[in-house]
Amino acid sequence: MATGHAAATTGPFGAVGHHARLVGLVVMSLALAAAVLRTLDTVPSWLRGEPRGLRRYDRLEDLERAVHTRLLLPAYFPERLEYPPVRILLAPGGAQPSAVAFRDRMRGTERLVVCQNARGDAPLPDRLLPPGLVLQRVATDVNGAQAVLTRMRAPDTREWTDLVWVQQGRRVALRLHGDDAELMRFARSLTRVRP
Amino acid sequence: MASATELAAQAVLYGIVSAVVVETLIRRLPVPAPGDRFRYRLCTLILPLALPPLFAALAPMRATEAFADLALFSTSRWQRLAVAGVGVRDLGLATLGVLGAALVLRDLWRDALHWWRDRRALGPRGAHRGAADPGPVLQSEVEGLARRMGVVTPRVLLLDTEAAILHCRGVRRPTVMVARGVAERLAPDQLRGALAHELAHVAHHDVLRGWLLALLRAVQWFNPVAQVVARRAALEVEWRADAEAAAVTAQPLALARALLTCIRGRDTEFLGLLGRGRVAALEQRCRRLLDGVPARQGRADAWSLAIVGAGLSVLLFFVV
């Protein structure tokens, strides 16, 4: 009975053939395992309703600890904005872009989104600030820095305004569902001090 | 630095991934020799223990959140998903921990019951002190078999009891313990087969392997996959000894009969449900003996194990 087995495993190419077959099988099974693991890894994000790759934090302090810097937040913080933020997201990438969203206390909808790179002026990812239909784009300035103010409309006809500029070496964008004067007030008050 | 919970979660996950990959290889290659399967399964048991601390020491950047974005699978992502305020990772780890501990306790309880029965059968003086010289017939039988199997003749002790005790013990000085009840109950060809089985254990240092498996099981008590793999590896050791004994004596049927006689004499009734698993395993061993499964080592050489180990290590590096 042992002889049959020896003949079956030796084959025409001997040990080399066996090892080649083994390598092939190992690569195949590892690739399959990697695919399964990758799929399983997307489940928590999917269950939490987050786009893949974005990491959600419960507290601003946790995000700041992750990016090793304090975030720029508006010192002007009217009563109608709810604190703490409803959404704190970090996208992958060397610039460590993040988005912090505040809700309107009365309407219960998102009113202000502060999006910024932890370092560098690389463009902010669309995943953090989904684009809409551009209605108007004008150049302006924030505390002496050049800025672009863009009015946009979503497919559901909701309108908002984005203001993008570079402050302290970081690209910053504010998105407000409100008027331009208030947006500029938020922008000019942006600081590392907590509201 | 990774916490103990993270390391434990990684160890469990590594155990599951390693077991799935190794079982796939065993079936697809295929690996028919029990000795080879034992080696591959040992890989499954050692890698989950060795890799988490090794990776933590050699690649501390794996603990950063930036690496989690690169990783194939991150347990911390599951931890952020909470059920009733508890992270899913911790919840899963606790559930698997209970399952793993139950498997360990089940086998511990069964072995303790066996030990207690044997102890009672041998009387208050214990096994070694109740042992006697095996006599010329048994001694010469063992010496003849040892010569044919190329093994140094181990010490043989005859236990003065009716209980069906036949096993080998001792890591440094292997000893075959034969109960008088077994020697009298088995026909000569059956006894020869049973002794050859024990000598096969001696030849492969299976007592040491048994302790190694027990140690790996104890350290990974929280990992049910490791418990199942270790039990399966222990079974492979028995299958190999059976196959070698059958090859040496050329009488597999006699060995199967000897196994059945021993288990009948063993009285597994007192084990209740726990005994059923042992009887089922014995039935499987008898079937394999009658089917004529190969004993000889196949091709699970150092290169094969290195290929599997390296492949798994690369994959698991990206599982945090």
Side-chain angles (χ1 to χ4, degrees):
Chain A
M1 53 191 167
T3 322
H5 164 59
T9 53
T10 303
F13 301 107
V16 177
H18 168 79
H19 287 138
R21 186 170 149 72
L22 178 67
V23 169
L25 267 173
V26 167
V27 169
M28 252 173 51
S29 34
L30 291 182
L32 196 67
V36 171
L37 285 168
R38 193 67 171 168
T39 308
L40 283 175
D41 196 46
T42 60
V43 173
S45 306
W46 177 70
L47 288 176
R48 287 169 65 118
E50 296 167 3
R52 160 89 186 141
L54 291 187
R55 189 174 302 134
R56 184 189 286 269
Y57 290 88
D58 295 327
R59 301 184 315 150
L60 273 171
E61 291 76 11
D62 295 338
L63 173 59
E64 288 183 328
R65 205 169 296 121
V67 298
H68 303 292
T69 186
R70 298 207 69 158
L71 297 173
L72 294 167
L73 290 173
Y76 165 68
F77 204 81
E79 269 299 305
R80 68 182 292 187
L81 278 189
E82 200 174 273
Y83 193 88
V86 286
R87 209 158 45 93
I88 305 171
L89 295 174
L90 175 68
Q96 296 187 300
S98 62
V100 180
F102 298 93
R103 200 160 45 188
D104 188 306
R105 203 183 289 275
M106 286 178 293
R107 290 185 184 166
T109 55
E110 266 182 28
R111 179 168 166 78
L112 174 70
V113 182
V114 182
C115 190
Q116 61 192 288
N117 286 333
R119 54 192 60 85
D121 61 352
L124 294 162
D126 288 349
R127 280 191 292 179
L128 291 179
L129 278 184
L133 177 69
V134 177
L135 302 176
Q136 190 187 12
R137 181 170 283 152
V138 289
T140 181
D141 77 283
V142 177
N143 298 332
Q146 287 185 342
V148 177
L149 190 138
T150 312
R151 284 196 192 87
M152 293 196 198
R153 182 188 288 159
D156 64 359
T157 71
R158 260 188 102 193
E159 290 186 13
W160 70 84
T161 312
D162 280 0
L163 182 63
V164 184
W165 75 104
V166 176
Q167 180 171 327
Q168 294 168 10
R170 317 170 174 190
R171 184 168 296 276
V172 184
L174 289 187
R175 171 168 290 185
L176 181 73
H177 296 272
D179 60 76
D180 294 354
E182 191 177 22
L183 178 61
M184 293 307 290
R185 203 168 167 191
F186 276 121
R188 290 188 187 117
S189 73
L190 220 58
T191 171
R192 292 183 175 197
V193 178
R194 289 284 166 276
Chain B
M1 191 69 190
S3 68
T5 319
E6 281 169 340
L7 288 179
Q10 284 179 20
V12 171
L13 197 58
Y14 288 10
I16 294 170
V17 174
S18 306
V20 169
V21 170
V22 165
E23 290 305 317
T24 307
L25 289 176
I26 284 176
R27 276 159 182 73
R28 290 280 168 187
L29 265 174
V31 184
D36 290 348
R37 285 199 298 262
F38 175 84
R39 286 165 151 224
Y40 280 120
R41 292 207 165 103
L42 206 57
C43 256
T44 309
L45 291 172
I46 291 173
L47 283 181
L49 265 187
L51 290 182
L54 191 73
F55 287 158
L58 296 181
M61 84 286 189
R62 288 174 76 255
T64 61
E65 296 198 339
F67 191 86
D69 292 329
L70 264 179
L72 285 169
F73 186 93
S74 163
T75 55
S76 59
R77 241 190 282 280
W78 284 87
Q79 179 61 9
R80 277 197 285 270
L81 192 68
V83 175
V86 183
V88 168
R89 181 194 68 194
D90 288 354
L91 212 58
L93 192 61
T95 310
L96 291 175
V98 169
L99 196 60
L103 288 173
V104 173
L105 289 175
R106 174 188 187 271
D107 287 0
L108 263 181
W109 178 242
R110 192 180 60 186
D111 291 345
L113 283 175
H114 266 302
W115 176 83
W116 176 72
R117 288 289 282 210
D118 289 352
R119 187 101 185 153
R120 252 182 35 162
L122 289 169
R125 295 196 314 158
H128 279 290
R129 278 169 286 176
D133 185 69
V137 179
L138 192 57
Q139 185 66 42
S140 67
E141 185 78 77
V142 171
E143 282 171 6
L145 281 168
R147 257 196 313 277
R148 284 163 66 187
M149 295 173 79
V151 188
V152 176
T153 308
R155 185 168 63 145
V156 184
L157 290 179
L158 187 68
L159 304 172
D160 187 22
T161 172
E162 285 298 314
I165 299 171
L166 175 59
H167 60 244
C168 75
R169 63 196 300 175
V171 175
R172 281 190 298 177
R173 193 182 172 195
T175 305
V176 176
M177 316 283 280
V178 188
R180 185 174 44 76
V182 171
E184 288 171 356
R185 213 172 295 163
L186 296 181
D189 58 341
Q190 294 174 8
L191 184 61
R192 194 175 304 120
L195 289 171
H197 172 98
E198 297 307 326
L199 287 175
H201 282 317
V202 172
H204 292 286
H205 309 285
D206 286 342
V207 177
L208 183 62
R209 284 167 194 257
W211 281 111
L212 177 65
L213 283 179
L215 180 71
L216 289 169
R217 284 191 71 173
V219 176
Q220 299 185 76
W221 60 268
F222 53 90
N223 187 350
V225 176
Q227 302 305 321
V228 173
V229 171
R231 284 165 73 172
R232 189 69 200 225
L235 209 56
E236 302 285 3
V237 169
E238 293 302 325
W239 288 352
R240 180 178 59 189
D242 284 348
E244 287 189 1
V248 167
T249 59
Q251 288 176 311
L253 194 60
L255 178 56
R257 280 197 185 125
L259 287 172
L260 288 174
T261 309
C262 284
I263 198 77
R264 280 189 197 129
R266 193 84 177 151
D267 179 16
T268 53
E269 286 300 315
F270 73 98
L271 288 170
L273 276 175
L274 296 179
R276 285 191 194 169
R278 191 154 278 192
V279 172
L282 188 90
E283 191 184 324
Q284 204 176 7
R285 283 171 67 185
C286 291
R287 280 184 200 283
R288 288 179 64 87
L289 276 170
L290 301 182
D291 290 346
V293 178
R296 63 177 291 171
Q297 199 81 350
R299 290 185 178 269
D301 54 10
W303 278 109
S304 304
L305 295 173
I307 290 167
V308 175
L312 277 170
S313 302
V314 170
L315 175 77
L316 296 176
F317 185 82
F318 293 97
V319 176
V320 290

